Structure formats: C-alpha cells, structure tokens
Amino acid sequence: FSPNSSWDAAYERELQAFQDIGDAGEIWFGEESMVRIIRWLEKQKIPHDSSVLDIGTGNGVLLIELAKSGYTDLTGIDYSPSAIQLSEKVREKEGMSNIKFKVEDFLAPSAELSGFEICIDKGTFDAISLNPDNAVGKRKQYVRSLCSVLKSEGFFLITSCNWTKEELVNEFREGFEILEELPTPKFCFGGRIGNSVTALVFQRK
C-alpha cells in the first residue's frame, strides 16, 4: 500500500469528474475548516498581500476561497501532478489568475519555495504521518521543510484528524511556538467528549 498511489487515483477520479460535470470534488475536512482558517486570518488582520502557501493543496479550493476573500499572493503545492492539474482547472473555471500551483514534494522543497508569511496544512502532515515507510523521519523532515519555507515570525495553521494538540505541540517544538487552538466540532463518544479535528496556529520562532 502506497499512500501516494491511492491519492493519485483519487485525484484522477476527481479530475475525470470535474471534466465530466464541472464539480471540484470532495473538499477534504469540509467547508468549516476553510471558514475557520479564513476567519482567523481576517481576525488577525493579516494583510491581503501576505504570501500564503497551501501545503498539499489537493483541488485548490482553499486558495480559491482565500482569493475570493481578497488575498492576492497565493501558492498551492502538491506532489500529485493530477491534483495540480485539477486545481488548475478549478482555478480557470473560477477565473482566479493570481493563484500559483506547483508540483512539489514538501519533504524535498525546491529552492524557490521560501519566504512565505503564512503556511497552511489540512491533512498533509496527517498523510505523511501515516506513511508506513519511516514516518518518524518524514515528520522530522516536514518540520525542517516548514522551517525553510516559512519566514521567521510567520504563521503556520494546521488542521489534523490524527493528532491531539499536545502531540502537535511536541512535533513542532523545534522552531515553532503555539499561539492558539481554533475551535473545532466536538463529538461525544461513550460519555467522553473528544475532538475529531484539531486546528492549531503556530508561530515560527
């Protein structure tokens, strides 16, 4: 089982569906996680010309929503060429020419991927963590990559289904401090209330 090939297959299907019916497909983590991110950026009065990197952009819908909210310097990366093809099609349909999409492996980012003021991750760190092939090493490499692409004092917004707040704070302790936890939907299981999703904002030291 390789996570990469199954994601690729999923995006191939979405690309096909988009070409057939003009539908952007599944929005990972649903609408509310996008709203939560945009609301935080607006509440912090993050300038609309701040450079934003969407790590594992998938179908690019988050960046399209950011563009609609007035953000102008937007980049999305994904290691899946079919995801990038899909996001480019969605971008064309929406007429959002100021979004850049690139095929990039975040664990080995190219030199021009640097100087971002905001980095956003919905589920990419989760996917890397689930990789059966050296997950610990890959997580450490992810943190190193993040340090190299995000400016000092830049913000990192992560949405995760796999990790608790404490675990994420521990994973990103080299180089990042937690600013706040964003409210996420709660679920109740066996009388205990838990969160199915954790959303945190870190700041690069």
Tab-separated table of all heavy atoms in Angstrom, residues 51 111-118 148-151:
chain	number	residue	atom	x	y	z
A	51	SER	N	2.179	36.590	1.633
A	51	SER	CA	2.373	35.389	0.820
A	51	SER	C	1.901	34.151	1.587
A	51	SER	O	2.292	33.939	2.732
A	51	SER	CB	3.840	35.254	0.423
A	51	SER	OG	4.651	35.361	1.576
A	111	ALA	N	14.273	25.259	-4.219
A	111	ALA	CA	14.875	26.456	-3.613
A	111	ALA	C	13.937	27.667	-3.666
A	111	ALA	O	13.939	28.495	-2.757
A	111	ALA	CB	16.191	26.772	-4.304
A	112	GLU	N	13.131	27.771	-4.751
A	112	GLU	CA	12.305	28.993	-4.840
A	112	GLU	C	11.119	28.966	-3.882
A	112	GLU	O	10.413	29.958	-3.740
A	112	GLU	CB	11.835	29.247	-6.279
A	112	GLU	CG	10.823	28.268	-6.826
A	112	GLU	CD	11.479	27.277	-7.777
A	112	GLU	OE1	12.688	27.012	-7.637
A	112	GLU	OE2	10.762	26.773	-8.664
A	113	LEU	N	10.909	27.849	-3.210
A	113	LEU	CA	9.829	27.761	-2.230
A	113	LEU	C	10.341	28.309	-0.899
A	113	LEU	O	10.821	27.555	-0.056
A	113	LEU	CB	9.403	26.295	-2.076
A	113	LEU	CG	7.930	26.029	-1.825
A	113	LEU	CD1	7.075	26.525	-2.979
A	113	LEU	CD2	7.687	24.555	-1.603
A	114	SER	N	10.272	29.636	-0.730
A	114	SER	CA	10.755	30.193	0.536
A	114	SER	C	10.160	31.581	0.755
A	114	SER	O	9.581	32.172	-0.156
A	114	SER	CB	12.285	30.286	0.538
A	114	SER	OG	12.679	31.276	-0.392
A	115	GLY	N	10.312	32.074	1.977
A	115	GLY	CA	9.883	33.430	2.293
A	115	GLY	C	8.383	33.609	2.469
A	115	GLY	O	7.864	34.719	2.350
A	116	PHE	N	7.662	32.524	2.767
A	116	PHE	CA	6.212	32.652	2.952
A	116	PHE	C	5.888	33.202	4.334
A	116	PHE	O	6.568	32.921	5.314
A	116	PHE	CB	5.506	31.308	2.746
A	116	PHE	CG	5.478	30.887	1.304
A	116	PHE	CD1	6.458	30.050	0.788
A	116	PHE	CD2	4.496	31.364	0.456
A	116	PHE	CE1	6.452	29.681	-0.550
A	116	PHE	CE2	4.480	31.006	-0.887
A	116	PHE	CZ	5.457	30.162	-1.391
A	117	GLU	N	4.824	34.013	4.382
A	117	GLU	CA	4.409	34.584	5.667
A	117	GLU	C	3.375	33.711	6.367
A	117	GLU	O	3.257	33.735	7.584
A	117	GLU	CB	3.867	35.994	5.438
A	117	GLU	CG	5.016	36.947	5.072
A	117	GLU	CD	4.547	38.185	4.311
A	117	GLU	OE1	4.272	38.085	3.110
A	117	GLU	OE2	4.468	39.242	4.955
A	118	ILE	N	2.646	32.924	5.566
A	118	ILE	CA	1.623	32.025	6.114
A	118	ILE	C	1.764	30.674	5.419
A	118	ILE	O	1.840	30.614	4.191
A	118	ILE	CB	0.186	32.538	5.787
A	118	ILE	CG1	0.008	34.027	6.093
A	118	ILE	CG2	-0.882	31.665	6.459
A	118	ILE	CD1	-0.267	34.377	7.511
A	148	SER	N	12.239	25.972	6.582
A	148	SER	CA	12.947	26.595	5.456
A	148	SER	C	12.019	27.417	4.560
A	148	SER	O	12.458	28.354	3.917
A	148	SER	CB	13.714	25.547	4.641
A	148	SER	OG	12.829	24.836	3.811
A	149	VAL	N	10.718	27.101	4.518
A	149	VAL	CA	9.836	27.861	3.619
A	149	VAL	C	9.117	29.008	4.323
A	149	VAL	O	8.675	29.957	3.669
A	149	VAL	CB	8.785	26.964	2.901
A	149	VAL	CG1	9.458	25.843	2.135
A	149	VAL	CG2	7.741	26.437	3.847
A	150	LEU	N	8.999	28.932	5.650
A	150	LEU	CA	8.228	29.937	6.392
A	150	LEU	C	9.169	30.972	6.996
A	150	LEU	O	10.165	30.624	7.624
A	150	LEU	CB	7.421	29.250	7.500
A	150	LEU	CG	6.442	30.094	8.309
A	150	LEU	CD1	5.366	30.709	7.416
A	150	LEU	CD2	5.783	29.258	9.406
A	151	LYS	N	8.834	32.239	6.777
A	151	LYS	CA	9.643	33.334	7.339
A	151	LYS	C	9.653	33.274	8.859
A	151	LYS	O	8.685	32.818	9.474
A	151	LYS	CB	9.011	34.677	6.957
A	151	LYS	CG	9.432	35.218	5.629
A	151	LYS	CD	8.819	36.594	5.438
A	151	LYS	CE	9.366	37.238	4.164
A	151	LYS	NZ	8.561	38.416	3.793
